[in-house]
Structures are given as structure tokens and as C-alpha cells.
Amino acid sequence: MTKLTLISSAIFSVLCSHSALAATVNGKVTDEKNQPIENATIHVHGKSQSVKTNKLGEFAIELDASGQLHISKDNYSDSRITVTESSNNIAIALKPTSIETVVVFASALHKSSLEMISPVNVLSGDELRNKSKPTLGETLKGLPGVNASYFGPVSSSPIIRGLDGPRVKIMQNGLDSSDASRIGPDHATSSDSLAAEQIEVLRGPSTLLYGSGAIGGVVNVVDNRIPTSNIDELTGAVEYSHDSVSNANTYAAKLETGYNNFNFHFDGTKRSGDDYQTPRFNQLHEDGDVESKDSVENTFIDSETVNFGTSYVGEHLTVGFSYGKIKTDYGIPGHEHDHGHEHDHAADGDAHSDEAHEETPVFAQLEQDRWQGLLSYALHNNWIETINLRLGYTDYLHSEIENGEIGTTFKNKTTEARLNIEHKLADWHGMVGYHYSDSDYDANGEEAFTPASVTTTNALYLLEEREFGDVTIELGARVEDYKIKSQIAAHQHSHDDTQTSNAEVLAYTKSFTNLSASMGAIWQYTPGYSMAMSLSHSERAPLSAELLSNGLHIATGTYELGLGYHIEDGEAHFEPENIKQETSTNIDLGFRRFSGDFGYSVNFFYNDIKNFYFQENTGLVFDEEHGLEAADNGHDHGVAVYQFTSKDAELYGLEFDAHYKVNASTLVKVFGDSTRAKLKQDDENLPRVPANKLGSELQYNLGNWQFALTGTHYFSQTDITAYETKTDGYTLFDAQANYQLDLGNLDTQLYINVDNITDELGFVHSSFIKDTAPLPGRNFRFGIRGYF
């Protein structure tokens, strides 16, 4: 209550101090040759207000207090200039850049991609539309330092610098996606890349704003479902595409309009596809039989999304909300159950007896309802600039269907709030914030290997920056109270079902205090060149799956046990003692050049992690008859038992991209990454670490045509654990061709993409099912998109 009173008092005092007079500031934006730049964006820092320059590079913008103008334009470096109400006839010259500059939504301080201390990649515009795939993992896997978990093309999550799961935060407009993709690799992310305006991938210190556990990075999907700028006319877009490799059809549409400061948004997507085709490969079955296949069964998708949003954007106040609905059915490859035991009494010779023993494909039904709200007020006070509140509520349901019936259901209801106060104190510019999250997770059915739990976090964070000439420093800190509650069976008995069902139930509650801090600097040592360095320290408490798992996870073919269990005499006892937080210390060093015809970005990183949580093979197996026992017991049936454990680990590597503009129509890019991940004590490798990659891209423009050819080589992965097999390397070639149609006010593009031109057989080392689900074969994707 005291906090609310202080905030209210601050708002009241600054409201009373506003000038009632507004002044018009005029200016002109030109390039280095003094030629006018059309359609440059002029934005008043801390407000939603922005204007565009005309054909002469001129602009006029209303200003009611001293502030800062942010001037941006594609292929030019951003410019920031301090203005007052008496400023007029401002001349601004923008310098061309060899790297596209994009304002990073998740940076919190309105920074462009070139101004960020932390390494960042942004996909937006035509590049995003050309590379967009049904899943985030497949859309982003070509970026340096980013790979995909790949549980088939419809369930694939991003891996950043060798880390995935809870160490990579998936967000939508700065709020958690709140799906079950962090629980298991077979659960698809609910974020839709097809409707995104841009997708941001962040690493390093800035990620602590969004959670102490995001030591791998943050993926933020940005859309315009709550418009933050006034829309003066009806605009929209439609798109249709077809993929030959899975006979998939995708339809997408977007409409936006506004009137008198009120704005409205609608977008919808429908996608349906069959099992995808692959180059011919041999699949080894458990009985020793080898089957030759040219497709991956049970990889269909049928998905629909629809989103509505509205907002009011005033001079100081922005308020809005949105609602989104996702319904997706998708097959889960390698996820079959043998239901033959249900038909033991079938008569000998019955024509249906063989069918009774066939493995039945399992598919998932995903439904999500998501509400988001935004309240932002630009104070333009001398010390408080904006107060921004984002609210979210997500109702997520994931059911796995077996023989037409629901086998297992996962539910997650999440409430989230994020309050940011952007301020300027003397020469420091920064943000202080509060973050609240409550996640109510439940699972029921055969595969409910993680018990129901409620996880609540309350966090305060601070991010400050200051310029010292050509050097900008950034300091950040976060303190987070993390609490998890659950009902736990005291024992998991080895073979007595009666004892198991009557096992004592314990009410378990555990709290952690996670502390994180970061410091970094970027030095523009020469115009067009910069060097960035950052040091971050973060603490992470275990998720419910890491701490409380106890059951058969059929998708991965393993029996999973959490950190809280102790195995003794064939029984798993819940004894959660000495559970320590995962503690990460990360160093990042980056070099960038972004002027002239040649540009590059090179990042080196080292991550020292104490108490790293990972799944380790216990040497035991589990089956329903004998429970937990040694793997060499002579029984043919049973699945390996993996338990989460914690040991000290280190990860290090590099990522880079470079490009050279040969002439006005030709651009060449080179990119790649390398990650090494191992335990410190015995130098053992961590499991499922992505292979290194190296790629190149050629872009060529000819009139209304745009062409691109990309080749990416994934090296063989031989740094494996004792329970893995090595993965051979492979090379993928992809091509794109776009043609711009001239249809008056309708901006139309015809396009065709050819993925995996050579029909190369490739297996993804980071996949749990790499041997049964290789990458898709040659795919022709053609489509048309139009904008009005």
C-alpha cells in the first residue's frame, strides 16, 4: 500500500508541473551528401508519439516539454538529439550503416540493435516473412548461436548457446508465453512466428529483467496486437503459401484501423499439413528389425489462431488490451503406446487380434486463451519519463489423445504483471521495475510424470546506463522471491501398485531468494566501430519438472526423477535436502563494425555454472512389473531411468556474422557458431549439445526480383556422453526468389523458396528422437502476400 501511495503521489506532483503549452518543433533529415531522407521516423523519447519525414526530409512534431528526439531509418545509424520547446529548424544528418538497425523492444530502454551492450539478433520485415516457419525453433535456428531442439517440425524450441528449456525465456511482448514447452521437448511453443512483427533474440545481462534463470537468453516475439501508435487509415495484409514436403497450406490475414486516437487490430492464421517427407533412411526398431523409410509418421499439424486488440493512444496516455485464441492439433513422432495389454482376451484367430497389438499414434491438442493489457503514461517530468504496466493472463491446455481418448492432460494458468518506471536521475538513464508471476500447473493421466504445483515469483529489478563520451556503461540487478508448492507422494515403490496408490502424501513448500547482477560497457572507439563487454551473475531455482518429476515420460522414452528424490533398494524416496540454486557467471566480449560496405559482429562467451541441473543416466531401468532395478537384470523390457542432478559445468564458444556489399545489388554474408559444454570435475560432455555450424548467404536484386541462396554446414558432433551416439555432419542449401508486383495501392509479392535443395539427409544431435526424425527433405514453398 505504501508503494502505491508513493507512486500516486509522484504521478500527482508531476502532472501538476506540466506545461499547458505545446510547441511545434520543425526539422529536416538528410544523408551525408545532404540529400533528403524520406520516411525517417521521428519519435519523442518516452512517448508513443512519432511522425515520418516527407519527400523533402522535413518533419514537424509537437513537444510539450524538453526531451529527446529519436531519429531512425532502415540502413542508417540511429540519431538522438536533445530538444526544448524553443528548438526549431533542426538539421539532422544520418550516417549509412552496413547493418540493418532495429529498435529492440525487449531492451527496455528503446535501444537499437547497434546500441545494445548485450549480443542481439532481430528478425523483422521481409527477412522474417521469408524465414518464418511454424515453430520458433525452426524459424530462428539459422541465426548465429541459435539452434533447435527439434521434436519434429511442429514441436521445436530455440536452443541458445547450448542451453534450452527453462534457461531460455520465451516471451510475447515482454510477458511469458506460459505454455508447457519448458516441461518437455514434445510440447510445442504457443508463440506464433507467422503473425509476428519482429522476433528478438537476446543474450547476456539484459535478460535478467525477465527472469533470473534466463542464462541462455530471451526470445521475444513482438506483435502489434495492442497498437502503441495511432493508426490513421485502414491497413492490412493477406498471405497464402504451400509447402510440398508436407502438403501444408497456410493462410494468414491482418487488419488494422483507427479513428480519433482509438485503434483496432485483428490477425488470424490457419495452417494444415500432413506427415513430412524425408530422404530415405533406415530406422532401427527395438526388436532389431531395420525399416527403410522416406517420411516421419505422425507429424501432421492443423492449427488456427485468432487475435483481437484495441487501444487508445493519447498525448501522454496509452491504454489497451488484447485477446488471443490458439487451437492446434499436431502429431508427436516417436510417441506411440502399445495398447495390446488391453486386449489379452481376444480370441485366437480373431481378424482384429493383430490390430489390437499395433502401436497407436498419439497426437496433441493444444488450446490457449491469452489476455494482455497495457497501461502507459508519459510524464515528461525532469526525473520520471514513463510509467508502464503490462498485465497478462494465460489459460493453457495440452491434451494427448490416444485411441481417440484423452490419455494425459497438462494445464497451466498463469497470471503475470510487470511494472516499469523509466527515469532520468542526473546523468543516469534507467528503469526500476516490479515483476509478479503466478503459475498454476497441473497434469493428469498416464504421462503425468510431474505433479501439480503452484509457482509464485515476486521480483524487483533495476537497470541503469550512463554515457561517458564514447563509452556507455550499464548496471543491472534483480532480487527475486521464488516459491513452489506441491503435493508429493512420499515413496515411489518398485512394484507394489497398492502401496504406491496408498503412499503418504506430503504437502511440500520450498522458497528461494535469487540474486542477479550485471555490468557492461560499449565503446564506440571509432565511428562505425564498437566493442562491448559484459559480466553477469545470476541464480536460478529449479522448476517443478527438475525438482519433482517422478514418472514415465513416454515421448523421450525415459523414466524421469527430480532433484528431490533419493533411490534406495529399488524405491525412489522424496527427500528434498540440500537443494542448491544453479548459479551462473557469464562473460561476454563482442566486436562490431557497422559502417561502409563491410560489416561484422563477433561475440565470445564463457559461462561458469555451479550446480548445473541436467538429467543423468542412473544405470537403472523401470517397467510396470518390476519397478526400478539394475539395467543388467536380464529383463528385455524397461526404459532407462534418468534423474536430474546438479554438478559444476562450463560452456564457452563464439558466434559471428559478417557481410560485404559487393555493389548496389549484391550482398554476401558469412555466419557461424561454436559451443563447447562440459562438466568441470571429470571433463565429461553435457548431453545433446548442438553441433557447430558455418554458413554463407548470397543476396542479389535485379529490378523487381530479389534472390537469395544460403548454404549451411552442420559439423559432426563427437563430443558426447556415454549414453549418446555421435551425429554425422550434413550441409543444407536453401534458395529464395521474390517478385514484386506493381498493382497500384496493393503491394504484392510472389515468392518461391526451395529448402534443402540437394535433398540431404540430416539428423539433429540436440533432438531426443534424432534417429527416428531426420530433417525434412527437399521442399518447394510457394506463395503470395499482399499489403494494402
Side-chain angles (χ1 to χ4, degrees):
M1 189 67 185
T2 302
K3 293 181 181 178
L4 292 176
T5 302
L6 290 174
I7 293 174
S8 301
S9 300
I11 294 174
F12 179 78
S13 63
V14 296
L15 284 175
C16 293
S17 66
H18 280 314
S19 171
L21 299 177
T24 301
V25 175
N26 297 286
K28 185 175 182 178
V29 180
T30 60
D31 61 18
E32 288 185 315
K33 298 179 181 179
N34 203 32
Q35 296 300 306
I37 297 178
E38 183 182 3
N39 285 328
T41 300
I42 317 298
H43 173 253
V44 181
H45 179 66
K47 299 176 66 176
S48 300
Q49 179 187 8
S50 65
V51 297
K52 298 280 190 179
T53 55
N54 60 20
K55 292 183 179 180
L56 300 177
E58 300 169 338
F59 69 90
I61 193 167
E62 296 293 324
L63 197 72
D64 60 1
S66 299
Q68 186 184 75
L69 295 184
H70 179 199
I71 302 94
S72 60
K73 172 68 176 176
D74 291 347
N75 302 318
Y76 290 89
S77 295
D78 291 8
S79 178
R80 300 176 188 271
I81 183 170
T82 300
V83 293
T84 66
E85 295 159 288
S86 60
S87 300
N88 213 339
N89 297 322
I90 301 172
I92 303 159
L94 298 183
K95 296 180 180 179
T97 174
S98 60
I99 299 177
E100 183 179 4
T101 60
V102 181
V103 175
V104 181
F105 179 92
S107 69
L109 297 179
H110 319 287
K111 288 180 172 292
S112 74
S113 52
L114 296 182
E115 298 170 321
M116 294 283 292
I117 294 175
S118 304
V120 61
N121 292 105
V122 180
L123 282 180
S124 62
D126 287 339
E127 183 182 17
L128 172 59
R129 286 184 282 269
N130 290 334
K131 295 183 178 180
S132 181
K133 298 292 192 299
T135 65
L136 276 180
E138 294 305 289
T139 298
L140 301 176
K141 71 176 185 180
L143 296 177
V146 184
N147 288 275
S149 61
Y150 200 75
F151 212 93
V154 297
S155 181
S156 182
S157 297
I159 299 175
I160 300 178
R161 293 179 170 178
L163 299 172
D164 62 350
R167 300 179 184 91
V168 174
K169 193 84 167 178
I170 308 296
M171 303 190 307
Q172 182 184 6
N173 298 325
L175 296 179
D176 199 297
S177 62
S178 303
D179 52 37
S181 61
R182 310 297 89 187
I183 301 297
D186 56 320
H187 297 171
T189 60
S190 59
S191 298
D192 182 12
S193 60
L194 294 173
E197 300 284 331
Q198 67 184 47
I199 302 178
E200 306 163 349
V201 181
L202 289 81
R203 302 97 160 163
S206 61
T207 63
L208 65 83
L209 294 179
Y210 302 100
S212 300
I215 63 174
V218 165
V219 176
N220 187 38
V221 180
V222 182
D223 56 53
N224 198 40
R225 289 166 186 169
I226 302 179
T228 54
S229 296
N230 282 319
I231 304 170
D232 298 324
E233 58 185 0
L234 177 66
T235 62
V238 292
E239 180 174 3
Y240 165 77
S241 65
H242 176 81
D243 289 85
S244 65
V245 76
S246 59
N247 193 32
N249 295 295
T250 302
Y251 308 85
K254 180 177 74 172
L255 288 173
E256 292 183 337
T257 189
Y259 176 74
N260 197 24
N261 297 106
F262 287 94
N263 309 281
F264 305 93
H265 171 98
F266 162 81
D267 72 75
T269 305
K270 179 175 176 56
R271 177 180 173 84
S272 60
D274 303 327
D275 296 346
Y276 73 91
Q277 305 297 307
T278 68
R280 187 162 293 279
F281 70 103
N282 294 326
Q283 180 176 338
L284 177 65
H285 294 282
E286 292 183 0
D287 58 8
D289 291 342
V290 176
E291 181 182 2
S292 179
K293 305 183 70 174
D294 60 2
S295 67
V296 177
E297 298 175 0
N298 202 29
T299 54
F300 73 91
I301 185 172
D302 189 356
S303 177
E304 295 179 0
T305 67
V306 61
N307 297 278
F308 300 91
T310 185
S311 67
Y312 171 83
V313 180
E315 184 68 16
H316 296 277
L317 176 68
T318 298
V319 59
F321 69 91
S322 68
Y323 166 74
K325 178 77 173 182
I326 300 174
K327 294 185 67 175
T328 301
D329 292 358
Y330 66 94
I332 307 176
H335 199 310
E336 289 88 19
H337 296 180
D338 186 356
H339 295 276
H341 62 276
E342 298 177 359
H343 305 276
D344 290 339
H345 302 291
D348 292 339
D350 191 328
H352 300 287
S353 60
D354 290 338
E355 297 179 6
H357 292 270
E358 290 182 357
E359 291 185 338
T360 304
V362 177
F363 70 94
Q365 287 185 338
L366 184 158
E367 291 188 30
Q368 178 176 283
D369 294 286
R370 184 177 177 91
W371 292 263
Q372 291 191 70
L374 169 66
L375 177 63
S376 179
Y377 195 86
L379 299 173
H380 263 207
N381 184 261
N382 290 332
W383 59 284
I384 294 182
E385 295 183 333
T386 60
I387 297 176
N388 186 289
L389 175 65
R390 284 191 176 270
L391 302 170
Y393 176 77
T394 303
D395 188 352
Y396 174 90
L397 176 67
H398 173 107
S399 299
E400 297 188 350
I401 311 302
E402 310 169 24
N403 280 344
E405 299 180 353
I406 296 177
T408 308
T409 297
F410 301 88
K411 299 178 182 179
N412 193 29
K413 295 183 178 181
T414 302
T415 303
E416 189 174 9
R418 185 180 296 277
L419 175 66
N420 293 331
I421 300 177
E422 189 176 350
H423 58 266
K424 188 171 184 180
L425 301 175
D427 294 326
W428 290 88
H429 175 220
M431 175 176 292
V432 60
Y434 167 72
H435 181 208
Y436 168 81
S437 176
D438 181 85
S439 176
D440 187 350
Y441 168 80
D442 192 14
N444 294 287
E446 184 177 355
E447 199 181 336
F449 58 94
T450 302
S453 62
V454 176
T455 304
T456 305
T457 62
N458 289 274
L460 294 174
Y461 52 86
L462 178 71
L463 183 66
E464 300 290 335
E465 68 171 9
R466 181 177 175 180
E467 295 181 0
F468 294 88
D470 296 330
V471 177
T472 300
I473 65 171
E474 183 179 281
L475 304 175
R478 177 185 175 103
V479 56
E480 178 182 274
D481 177 71
Y482 180 97
K483 180 181 292 185
I484 184 169
K485 297 180 180 179
S486 185
Q487 301 287 326
I488 307 296
H491 312 295
Q492 173 61 55
H493 291 269
S494 59
H495 58 271
D496 191 326
D497 292 339
T498 303
Q499 286 183 316
T500 302
S501 62
N502 295 327
E504 180 186 355
V505 176
L506 302 176
Y508 176 73
T509 300
K510 179 66 174 177
S511 296
F512 298 87
T513 299
N514 299 317
L515 300 175
S516 301
S518 67
M519 56 186 297
I522 185 169
W523 177 27
Q524 307 278 354
Y525 58 91
T526 299
Y529 293 78
S530 67
M531 180 178 72
M533 184 174 183
S534 61
L535 173 66
S536 62
H537 172 88
S538 64
E539 297 176 345
R540 182 176 78 88
L543 294 186
S544 60
E546 296 170 315
L547 181 62
L548 308 175
S549 292
N550 186 355
L552 184 64
H553 192 176
I554 300 172
T556 60
T558 61
Y559 190 96
E560 295 190 5
L561 282 174
L563 289 162
Y565 284 89
H566 173 69
I567 301 173
E568 184 178 353
D569 297 330
E571 295 183 351
H573 302 269
F574 186 66
E575 299 175 0
E577 300 176 0
N578 300 321
I579 302 297
K580 297 180 180 179
Q581 291 145 294
E582 185 179 271
T583 304
S584 168
T585 301
N586 184 80
I587 299 175
D588 244 296
L589 178 63
F591 300 89
R592 305 168 195 166
R593 171 177 172 165
F594 46 88
S595 66
D597 294 331
F598 176 61
Y600 59 78
S601 176
V602 182
N603 301 305
F604 301 90
F605 67 91
Y606 177 82
N607 203 343
D608 184 287
I609 308 176
K610 292 184 178 180
N611 305 315
F612 182 80
Y613 307 144
F614 71 102
Q615 289 178 302
E616 188 174 52
N617 194 308
T618 63
L620 302 176
V621 296
F622 171 86
D623 65 31
E624 294 181 358
E625 182 180 356
H626 300 93
L628 304 176
E629 55 186 5
D632 57 355
N633 56 18
H635 296 295
D636 295 332
H637 300 288
V639 296
V641 178
Y642 279 76
Q643 182 171 18
F644 281 96
T645 187
S646 61
K647 295 182 180 180
D648 295 348
E650 60 179 356
L651 295 88
Y652 52 88
L654 64 89
E655 58 212 12
F656 70 92
D657 64 85
H659 60 270
Y660 176 65
K661 191 174 183 179
V662 180
N663 53 47
S665 59
T666 308
L667 181 71
V668 178
K669 291 184 178 182
V670 179
F671 57 89
D673 58 55
S674 175
T675 301
R676 186 78 170 89
K678 60 182 181 179
L679 298 175
K680 296 182 69 174
Q681 184 175 1
D682 48 19
D683 211 35
E684 289 185 8
N685 299 305
L686 289 174
R688 290 180 297 281
V689 176
N692 301 333
K693 69 173 181 279
L694 177 65
S696 180
E697 181 175 341
L698 172 65
Q699 297 179 3
Y700 181 72
N701 298 330
L702 179 64
N704 290 334
W705 285 96
Q706 295 177 322
F707 301 95
L709 176 64
T710 305
T712 308
H713 178 70
Y714 293 83
F715 292 85
S716 61
Q717 181 58 286
T718 57
D719 297 328
I720 58 177
T721 68
Y723 303 98
E724 290 183 290
T725 58
K726 76 170 188 176
T727 303
D728 294 332
Y730 55 92
T731 303
L732 300 179
F733 290 97
D734 305 322
Q736 300 173 0
N738 293 2
Y739 181 74
Q740 189 77 30
L741 292 174
D742 186 8
L743 299 177
N745 294 329
L746 184 62
D747 182 8
T748 306
Q749 283 185 351
L750 296 173
Y751 62 90
I752 180 170
N753 296 354
V754 187
D755 301 325
N756 194 3
I757 297 174
T758 60
D759 204 31
E760 177 88 348
L761 179 62
F763 296 91
V764 181
H765 183 76
S766 53
S767 173
F768 274 89
I769 55 172
K770 70 166 187 174
D771 295 324
T772 59
L775 290 169
R778 184 185 299 111
N779 176 44
F780 292 90
R781 181 188 183 195
F782 57 87
I784 182 172
R785 52 174 86 102
Y787 306 89
F788 58 89

